[in-house]
Amino acid sequence: AGRPAALLPLTVALRALNCFLVRTSFVPDEYWQSLEVAHRMVFRYPPRETSRFGCSSSILNVNNYGHLTWEWAHGLRGYSYPLIFASIYKALQLLAKDDVQLLIWVPRLSQAVLAAFADVKLYSLVRHLENAETAKYVYFCQLCSWFTWYSCTRTLTNTMETLLTVFALSYYPIKGSKMGSSCKYLALIALAIVVRPTAVIPWIPLVFSHFLQEQRKTDLILRNCIPIGLVTIGTSVMIDRVFFGEWVLVQLNFLKFNVLQNLGTFYGSHPWHWYFTQGLPVILGTHLPFFIHGCVLAPKRYRIFLVAVIWTVVVYSMLSHKEFRFIYPVLPFCMVFCGYSLKHLKAWKKSAASFLLLSNLVPALYTGLIHQRGTLDVMSHIQQLCNNSYQSQAFVFIMMPCHSTPFYSHVHCPLKMRFLQCPPDLTGNESYIDEADVFYSDPLAWLNKEFYNDTLLPSHLIFFSGLEQEISSFLALRGYKKTATVFHTHVPQGRVGSHIYVYRKKTEMNH
């Protein structure tokens, strides 16, 4: 590993390869809070809905050509992050290159390029603080990390939050650093907070530590913090004003929902110790022993990084809804300690490096290419409906746990589509059950009631294999025939089956 500039082309090439070797789905937010929103911003047709915040209903009127999830109806998400992808979509549209494959891959590739820049930034930070040798090992650990490989090219707010955290870290005034720039690192944190308000968490101890060390405290607040805060929040509010059509303070709503009301539990809750016993050990993987060793070895000035990691994990542990991706932003901090450990191993350096590489390769390739790929693969079957004259009669119903698949961003034609809805109840109704839960409690009865009239029937049904047995009488009676079987996962759980089936209704045309 040489100078940072020389590393960049190699890293970009590697992350581009990374991008194409990740063909699985991770969480619905990857599409529903970024690409779907961007697609609707650029390609929606003129008629604006009248409801507050302009959200569409559950069965899509084709004129809307897009759907926003319930978070947008309550102003919990901001348009600043989707605007990045909307700009890409707009450029493709103006160049008449808005082909569905480009709409899927160009945003991911742009994310991959940013990830490569972050990798090199991490390298140059350690090179500056320590030496090229230590930097080389940190860079190696960062590239080896299976979870970084799995996540860094996805269009997730967590990914952008992590990349901006690395960029901010490279300007953070740590002791012994001459590259520190209060203005730059604070601006990058502010940007990260606009993308995802939780980005503030890892930075609380770091900013506080900087504030304590800073001689000119008043200057820091008046010349840096306040102007940067006002400019970023102001810009974010203006962007949201344009797209929501009214004034909305997204960050406040987000905080109210997730922290004060703790409504995230609607999506599942875990015990308090989950991040310590599962979350962090899983995303670190085989890096874990090196991380612990590095924490013991690293000089005192790196303690602040460790404090940031522990503090973040503790804060997230207090919230009952937990996910691996929430603590992804502290992974680069951990890599600094892993690299430090690797550099200081005397005898086993080569073996340890080989072990790290091989032990991360398997989970990286398995999770990237095999585990949970069906929900993306099935979209190509839906895309085919756009190419024929049958499009106007087609009606696709996705009978899966809600938001299992992407939507118009992966179809890109005004096809009639519907999926099961699952917005949480925000009115405090104790007996509330969402549409998906009602459906799964008795799929057959639900289908017979919903489609009591044959003219209402969807032309295509898409569902997980586990459901087939339960609704077989409905399928036979209504003349549906299986046209495709798509592999999804080796570990089916609950409502998620190992395969996805596509059923098509027999019509006079295709007998």
Side-chain angles (χ1 to χ4, degrees):
R3 298 197 63 77
L7 265 188
L8 193 61
L10 166 82
T11 319
V12 169
L14 191 83
R15 287 300 180 205
L17 175 71
N18 183 168
C19 177
F20 291 116
L21 290 179
V22 173
R23 292 173 172 265
T24 54
S25 63
F26 181 11
V27 285
D29 281 15
E30 204 175 330
Y31 321 104
W32 288 95
Q33 307 299 354
S34 52
L35 303 184
E36 293 305 328
V37 184
H39 190 275
R40 193 168 176 276
M41 286 159 83
V42 176
F43 300 107
R44 69 185 290 179
Y45 291 137
R48 276 190 85 98
E49 299 86 334
T50 50
S51 70
R52 184 170 188 253
F53 293 135
C55 276
S56 44
S57 64
S58 95
I59 300 185
L60 295 184
N61 170 352
V62 174
N63 290 340
N64 294 340
Y65 195 14
H67 177 88
L68 294 179
T69 58
W70 65 272
E71 288 101 326
W72 297 84
H74 297 281
L76 290 176
R77 301 281 180 168
Y79 280 95
S80 306
Y81 181 59
L83 189 59
I84 301 168
F85 304 115
S87 315
I88 293 172
Y89 284 173
K90 193 71 195 169
L92 289 169
Q93 185 191 37
L94 294 171
L95 295 166
K97 289 272 186 269
D98 56 327
D99 166 69
V100 67
Q101 290 306 321
L102 289 176
L103 295 185
I104 293 169
W105 288 103
V106 176
R108 295 246 352 245
L109 269 171
S110 58
Q111 202 79 51
V113 171
L114 274 178
F117 272 91
D119 295 336
V120 175
K121 270 287 186 208
L122 193 64
Y123 168 81
S124 54
L125 168 73
V126 180
R127 185 170 192 234
H128 175 75
L129 288 174
E130 290 292 321
N131 49 45
E133 180 83 351
T134 312
K136 182 175 77 177
Y137 286 109
V138 171
Y139 174 76
F140 173 77
C141 288
Q142 170 75 355
L143 293 188
C144 272
S145 163
W146 80 269
F147 192 79
T148 301
W149 178 273
Y150 181 61
S151 309
C152 75
T153 65
R154 296 183 184 275
T155 50
L156 268 169
T157 50
N158 309 85
T159 300
M160 189 57 98
E161 177 191 355
T162 306
L163 301 180
L164 288 168
T165 294
V166 175
F167 292 138
L169 202 57
S170 66
Y171 295 112
Y172 178 73
I174 187 174
K175 280 183 187 140
S177 164
K178 295 178 192 66
M179 287 161 70
S181 158
S182 303
C183 184
K184 283 181 186 168
Y185 100 87
L186 288 168
L188 286 158
I189 298 170
L191 259 178
I193 294 168
V194 165
V195 169
R196 193 173 173 86
T198 51
V200 71
I201 297 168
W203 284 100
I204 290 171
L206 288 154
V207 172
F208 185 64
S209 161
H210 171 209
F211 182 72
L212 290 180
Q213 285 167 30
E214 183 63 53
Q215 261 85 55
R216 304 188 300 271
K217 290 180 172 47
T218 327
D219 265 17
L220 180 68
I221 293 172
L222 295 179
R223 290 199 177 165
N224 288 326
C225 297
I226 293 174
I228 287 166
L230 290 174
V231 170
T232 39
I233 292 292
T235 310
S236 151
V237 168
M238 293 306 289
I239 290 169
D240 290 336
R241 171 77 181 84
V242 171
F243 291 101
F244 277 122
E246 59 182 279
W247 295 107
V248 182
L249 193 55
V250 171
Q251 288 75 13
L252 191 67
N253 294 345
F254 185 90
L255 183 80
K256 225 161 52 182
F257 177 86
N258 286 300
V259 181
L260 306 178
Q261 295 173 291
N262 202 8
L263 286 168
T265 48
F266 183 80
Y267 293 107
S269 58
H270 296 83
W272 67 268
H273 55 76
W274 189 82
Y275 283 119
F276 291 99
T277 52
Q278 287 174 54
L280 200 58
V282 167
I283 71 169
L284 274 169
T286 49
H287 283 73
L288 185 60
F290 298 95
F291 170 62
I292 295 166
H293 180 227
C295 289
V296 175
L297 278 187
K300 204 168 145 187
R301 61 191 171 135
Y302 289 122
R303 257 183 226 159
I304 188 63
F305 291 173
L306 183 57
V307 169
V309 173
I310 296 167
W311 159 263
T312 304
V313 177
V314 166
V315 170
Y316 275 120
S317 295
M318 293 183 206
L319 298 174
S320 43
H321 178 57
K322 299 174 173 65
E323 291 185 41
F324 292 114
R325 63 192 174 107
F326 292 170
I327 55 168
Y328 176 33
V330 300
L331 203 52
F333 291 88
C334 298
M335 291 305 137
V336 173
F337 293 103
C338 297
Y340 207 86
S341 159
L342 211 52
K343 152 84 167 64
H344 289 85
L345 285 180
K346 299 280 184 288
W348 300 90
K349 206 174 280 190
K350 268 217 165 84
S351 322
S354 312
F355 164 73
L356 262 184
L357 184 62
L358 294 171
S359 61
N360 277 276
L361 198 62
V362 176
L365 293 175
Y366 180 77
T367 55
L369 291 170
I370 298 164
H371 179 59
Q372 295 183 0
R373 66 170 293 151
T375 48
L376 290 182
D377 289 347
V378 78
M379 297 313 286
S380 57
H381 294 275
I382 302 178
Q383 285 161 18
Q384 284 160 19
L385 301 177
C386 296
N387 305 336
N388 52 32
S389 51
Y390 178 59
Q391 184 196 313
S392 55
Q393 287 108 50
F395 170 20
V396 178
F397 186 21
I398 301 166
M399 301 191 295
M400 292 180 176
C402 54
H403 308 122
S404 288
T405 63
F407 217 46
Y408 284 110
S409 65
H410 283 56
V411 178
H412 194 51
C413 76
L415 197 65
K416 189 181 179 193
M417 295 201 290
R418 176 182 174 183
F419 61 91
L420 296 167
Q421 296 282 314
C422 62
D425 170 58
L426 302 176
T427 60
N429 175 2
E430 293 290 312
S431 57
Y432 171 78
I433 307 174
D434 65 54
E435 185 182 46
D437 283 343
V438 175
F439 169 81
Y440 278 105
S441 64
D442 191 346
L444 191 60
W446 190 94
L447 287 168
N448 286 325
K449 187 179 165 192
E450 190 76 10
F451 303 114
Y452 60 90
N453 185 333
D454 273 13
T455 56
L456 303 171
L457 285 169
S459 61
H460 291 75
L461 297 176
I462 295 174
F463 53 87
F464 280 119
S465 45
L467 201 59
E468 189 180 43
Q469 202 94 49
E470 280 190 76
I471 60 169
S472 54
S473 59
F474 174 87
L475 298 170
L477 206 64
R478 299 297 204 279
Y480 282 99
K481 195 173 182 325
K482 193 190 293 184
T483 56
T485 300
V486 179
F487 170 78
H488 182 61
T489 177
H490 288 124
V491 278
Q493 279 178 324
R495 296 171 179 178
V496 177
S498 59
H499 290 75
I500 294 171
Y501 295 150
V502 179
Y503 270 79
R504 177 174 180 173
K505 186 165 166 46
K506 289 188 291 228
T507 60
E508 280 60 50
M509 283 160 57
N510 61 23
H511 266 326

